Amino acid sequence: MIKHREISENMVKLVVLCPLLTWTDFYHLPFDVVDEQSIEVTVQDQEEVVRGRLDIMVLKDHLWLLVIESKNAGLSLLNGIPQALAYMVANPRPDQPILGLVTNGSELIFVKLVQQNTPKYALSEPFSLLKRENELYNVLSILKKFSQLMTD
């Protein structure tokens, strides 16, 4: 039996997310990629402050476009969705919709948040890299289209 260490969140970013950001031109102008950004969210009804570190954020002209949350391999995507949404709520431009992406290295899911009036979010179907027909190309296609829309 061969034993492997758990694949860390940083390794997921390195192996899965960095190539995706490269292939979709998010590392090129007019985009700006920021990693490990500290975010603080205050809950209005309570005096609770949630602090965390946003894994990766893609900006254009100080407008948050894409928030990416990665988790250790083996963890469910459900562990990252609330965290990604908390970061997305901290968007300084709540009048603009924001896209999120959560991954554990083998699965990815998109999150869209619209905050006008009442915040609402929607989730895509999960994409899996473990299927016979690897869905990484679908994720790449979505990110590439999003990148192109934001530069037009």
Side-chain angles (χ1 to χ4, degrees), residues 119-138:
K120 296 178 185 166
Y121 73 94
L123 301 174
S124 71
E125 292 294 321
F127 295 90
S128 176
L129 306 185
L130 304 177
K131 290 184 178 178
R132 180 172 292 180
E133 290 187 28
N134 184 320
E135 295 176 325
L136 180 63
Y137 300 109
N138 296 344

Side-chain angles (χ1 to χ4, degrees), residues 47-104:
E47 293 182 13
E48 183 178 348
V49 176
V50 178
R51 291 181 182 88
R53 295 191 66 79
L54 180 62
D55 288 336
I56 298 173
M57 180 171 47
V58 177
L59 305 132
K60 180 183 174 201
D61 301 325
H62 303 290
L63 174 64
W64 292 19
L65 301 177
L66 178 63
V67 169
I68 303 175
E69 177 60 33
S70 60
K71 291 296 179 197
N72 292 349
L75 288 180
S76 168
L77 292 178
L78 295 176
N79 293 335
I81 293 170
Q83 189 175 357
L85 282 168
Y87 297 147
M88 292 165 76
V89 166
N91 175 9
R93 296 275 311 271
D95 58 314
Q96 297 291 320
I98 186 168
L99 186 65
L101 178 65
V102 178
T103 184
N104 60 10

Side-chain angles (χ1 to χ4, degrees), residues 94-152:
D95 58 314
Q96 297 291 320
I98 186 168
L99 186 65
L101 178 65
V102 178
T103 184
N104 60 10
S106 60
E107 294 179 308
L108 303 100
I109 193 166
F110 287 97
V111 182
K112 180 181 178 184
L113 176 67
V114 177
Q115 294 190 68
Q116 294 174 338
N117 300 323
T118 305
K120 296 178 185 166
Y121 73 94
L123 301 174
S124 71
E125 292 294 321
F127 295 90
S128 176
L129 306 185
L130 304 177
K131 290 184 178 178
R132 180 172 292 180
E133 290 187 28
N134 184 320
E135 295 176 325
L136 180 63
Y137 300 109
N138 296 344
V139 172
L140 180 62
S141 175
I142 291 167
L143 287 172
K144 187 72 172 172
K145 178 88 172 160
F146 185 63
S147 160
Q148 290 169 347
L149 286 171
M150 299 314 296
T151 55
D152 290 340

